[in-house]
């Protein structure tokens, strides 16, 4: 996947998001080793320092565990990844919810519409 | 992190025209810095003054060295090869660099040349503008120094070559070295930058962390850069 | 920092290649000229020597001009001025390599002239002896010829060095001076600046040479050799002053051509 940056949002956040999504979607498995900082920098076309900053944030959040002299590894704590997933779902719903709310839909309407949408979408995909 | 470049009270005039006034700037090691400003704002001049091929008043320290000849040993600046006749083979120029710069890393050059698709058996006259620019950049990055000055490296270059050059910068930049890239068109490099330095009205207008601009102002770098000019016209 | 050895190697290589090209043309020119005389039926034993000698002057002049162009360009180009080397070392290496390149041409010319002279050597020796017999001691003997040749060579060496230090001084003064000229009509302004600088430098150098000659005349009007040595030393002192001034200009005022 090629990452296209939105220049309005801090690059390190976008890299962090990108990696989080890869972990959540299982493209990078729990316990797997991440590429080196420079490899990641080349992969996403960003500065090594910026990538390092994104990784530091993820280390602080314990999603990534650095091992001395060996590099960075994705946590094996599935619970944490689950939490990350919940957080992401939360964020996406918050966004949709706020936008629909701004359009004066009631909570019940939003739920109905969403159920209907998923049903149609599911039929479409089959 | 250490100080790689320190400029204090720098003033420069050329042909009775003030180009730079009261410039003060400090850069840390390991950064990629965008030097922004309109055409003719003094970006090239600032780089030339740092290397010592142009003379200004004030103090310039590069990696602890203030004396010009010693400073030149710590700065790699894009040389546009005007001293070589068009019939010169690239091999010979590489040899020139290898002889004249003790810090020239031929292995790194060969890697860069392969990555950027440079055929060094050609003559200088056989290169398109983009290929010449790539060759110059490969030479510049092949020196192992603390400070690299790339003056408008994407000038007149197609987007594919631009990507190659950006990737080679990311790939081959020594960890502790600082690269200054000047450009008057910001958006093509903004995701690459740690910091930006804007030259406006003959001096350093601002020196900021790129992600901090995005975080604090919610602006992209180009909008921010342009806003500096709007503010300028409002005040006049 | 770049060592003298490496910098020397680069500049010498560059100039050596240039003068070798000049010498190649020289060989072709001699061959063509000789062929031409052959075709016209004017060929004699003397032809080779005559052709070589007459070409040698043109070739020496051309070599001098080519070396000078390179010599001066080196002061104003990023490719050279970005090299981490002190200005004094830079200047001296440039002068030394130019001199060696030119001396190389001079020696090669001398050798081919001598070589072509051997074709007809006996005849030249005979006519030389004939002259001695006819005019007696007014014609110099071999010893005097050799010492005349050596002093000529020394004068030529010193004059070439003085020529380069003077040309460089004019060039660097003009480059430095142009920093203080207005942007408008910079071509015309630069041209006028050149005229003024050339005039001033030649006047000052001329004055200094006069000074050298007058003072050496005063010191040693009895001994020819002593006077000659003083002249030469005086010229070298003038060169050294020009060189010192040039190095100062390089370190403070002379900028390279901006290529971007």
């Amino acid at each position: 996947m090629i990452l296209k940056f939105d220049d309005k949002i801090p690059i390190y956040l976008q890299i962090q998001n990108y990696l989080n999504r890869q972990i959540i979607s299982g493209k990078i498995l729990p316990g797997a080793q991440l590429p080196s900082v420079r490899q990641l920098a080349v992969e996403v076309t960003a500065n090594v320092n910026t990538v390092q900053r994104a990784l530091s944030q993820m280390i602080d959040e314990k999603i990534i565990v650095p091992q001395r002299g060996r590099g960075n590894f994705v946590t094996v704590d599935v619970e944490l990844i689950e939490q990350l997933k919940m957080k992401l779902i939360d964020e996406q719903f918050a966004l949709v919810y706020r936008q629909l709310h701004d359009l004066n839909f009631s909570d019940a309407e939003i739920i109905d519409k969403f159920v209907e949408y998923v049903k149609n979408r599911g039929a479409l995909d089959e | 992190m250490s100080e790689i470049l320190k400029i204090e009270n720098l003033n420069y005039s050329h042909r009775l025209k003030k180009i730079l006034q009261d410039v003060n700037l400090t850069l840390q090691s390991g950064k990629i810095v965008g030097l922004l400003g309109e055409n003719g704002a003094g970006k090239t001049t600032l780089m030339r003054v740092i290397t010592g091929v142009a003379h200004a008043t004030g103090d310039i320290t590069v990696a602890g060295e203030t004396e010009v000849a010693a400073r030149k040993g710590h700065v790699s600046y894009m040389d546009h090869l005007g001293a070589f006749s068009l019939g010169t083979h690239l091999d010979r120029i590489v040899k020139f660099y290898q002889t004249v710069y003790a810090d020239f890393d031929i292995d790194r050059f060969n890697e860069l040349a392969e990555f950027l698709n440079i055929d060094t058996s050609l003559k200088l006259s056989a290169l398109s503008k983009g290929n010449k620019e790539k060759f110059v950049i490969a030479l510049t990055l092949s020196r192992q120094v603390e400070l690299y000055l790339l003056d408008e490296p994407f000038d007149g270059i197609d987007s594919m070559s631009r990507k190659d050059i950006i990737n080679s910068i990311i790939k081959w930049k020594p960890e502790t070295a600082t690269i200054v890239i000047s450009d008057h068109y910001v958006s093509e490099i903004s995701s690459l930058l740690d910091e930006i330095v804007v030259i406006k009205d003959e001096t350093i207008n601002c020196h900021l962390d790129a992600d901090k601009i995005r975080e604090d102002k919610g602006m992209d770098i180009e909008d921010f850069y342009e806003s500096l000019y709007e503010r300028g016209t409002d005040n006049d | 920092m770049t060592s003298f050895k490496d910098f020397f190697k680069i500049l010498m290589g560059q100039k050596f290649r240039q003068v070798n090209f000049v010498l190649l043309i020289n060989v072709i020119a001699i061959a063509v000229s000789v062929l031409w005389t052959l075709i016209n039926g004017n060929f004699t034993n003397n032809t080779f020597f005559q052709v070589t000698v007459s070409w040698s002057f043109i070739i020496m002049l051309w070599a001098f001009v080519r070396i000078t162009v390179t010599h001066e360009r080196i002061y104003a180009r990023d490719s050279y001025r970005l090299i981490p080397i002190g200005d004094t070392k830079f200047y001296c290496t440039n002068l030394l390599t130019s001199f060696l390149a030119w001396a190389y041409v001079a020696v090669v010319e001398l050798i081919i002239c001598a070589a072509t002279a051997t074709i007809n050597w006996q005849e030249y020796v005979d006519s030389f002896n004939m002259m001695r017999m006819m005019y007696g001691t007014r014609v110099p003997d071999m010893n005097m010829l050799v010492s005349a040749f050596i002093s000529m060579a020394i004068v030529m060496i010193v004059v070439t060095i003085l020529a380069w230090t003077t040309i460089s001084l004019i060039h660097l003064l003009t480059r430095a001076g142009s920093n203080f000229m207005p942007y408008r009509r910079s071509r015309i302004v630069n041209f006028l600046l050149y005229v003024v600088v050339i005039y001033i430098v030649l006047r000052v150098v001329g004055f200094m040479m006069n000074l050298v000659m007058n003072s050496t005349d005063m010191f040693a009007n009895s001994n020819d050799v002593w006077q000659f040595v003083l002249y030469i030393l005086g010229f070298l002192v003038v060169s050294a002053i020009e060189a010192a001034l040039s190095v100062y200009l390089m370190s403070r005022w002379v900028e390279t051509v901006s290529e971007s």
Side-chain angles (χ1 to χ4, degrees), chain C residues 86-112:
Chain C
D87 291 323
T88 311
K89 229 194 236 178
F90 190 106
Y91 185 93
C92 293
T93 315
N94 196 16
L95 188 59
L96 177 67
T97 48
S98 290
F99 178 74
L100 289 178
W102 195 74
Y104 163 73
V105 175
V107 168
V108 170
E109 288 300 327
L110 200 68
I111 290 172
I112 31 183

Side-chain angles (χ1 to χ4, degrees), chain B residues 174-187:
Chain B
E175 209 162 311
T176 56
T178 288
I179 299 189
V180 179
I181 306 173
S182 79
D183 213 323
H184 58 269
Y185 184 60
V186 200
S187 63

Side-chain angles (χ1 to χ4, degrees), chain C residues 6-61:
Chain C
D6 289 335
F7 192 53
F8 176 87
K9 215 161 46 179
I10 281 295
L11 296 191
M12 198 67 245
Q14 211 105 357
K15 290 168 185 171
F16 192 62
R17 271 195 299 278
Q18 278 187 338
V19 293
N20 272 335
F21 176 73
V22 173
L23 288 173
L24 179 75
I25 299 296
N26 187 20
V27 171
I28 295 172
I30 290 171
V32 170
S33 305
V34 169
L35 266 174
W36 183 249
T37 357
L38 210 61
I39 291 166
N40 284 340
N42 299 328
F43 188 84
T44 65
N45 267 350
N46 229 350
T47 306
F48 263 111
F49 184 58
Q50 275 171 350
V51 163
T52 311
V53 169
S54 37
W55 272 115
S56 74
F57 287 101
I58 297 165
I59 290 298
M60 298 270 280
L61 188 69

Side-chain angles (χ1 to χ4, degrees), chain B residues 12 14-17 44 48 51 53-55 69-70 72-73 79-84 92 96 99-101 151, chain C residues 1-2 6 10 17 79 81-84 178-183 186 190 250-252 254-256 259-260:
Chain B
Y12 178 85
H14 186 69
R15 288 193 171 252
L16 307 180
K17 205 173 143 206
T44 301
R48 282 165 52 80
T51 61
V53 295
H55 308 283
K72 285 175 180 167
D79 156 23
H80 290 84
L81 308 175
F84 298 95
R92 172 148 285 154
F96 176 99
T99 311
V100 133
Y101 295 108
D151 191 12
Chain C
M1 296 276 268
T2 304
D6 289 335
I10 281 295
R17 271 195 299 278
S79 302
R81 294 303 301 278
L82 284 171
I83 297 169
S178 71
N179 291 343
F180 302 98
M181 297 292 137
Y183 263 107
S186 56
N190 276 354
M250 279 168 74
S251 68
R252 290 296 303 276
V254 175
E255 304 189 348
T256 57
E259 292 169 29
S260 51

Side-chain angles (χ1 to χ4, degrees), chain A residues 12-36:
Chain A
Y12 78 93
L13 276 180
Q14 297 182 60
I15 296 170
Q16 198 183 338
N17 273 334
Y18 165 76
L19 289 173
N20 278 340
R21 276 158 198 269
Q22 294 220 314
I23 292 170
I24 291 168
S25 65
K27 280 193 186 106
I28 310 178
L29 293 170
Q33 184 176 12
L34 286 178
S36 72

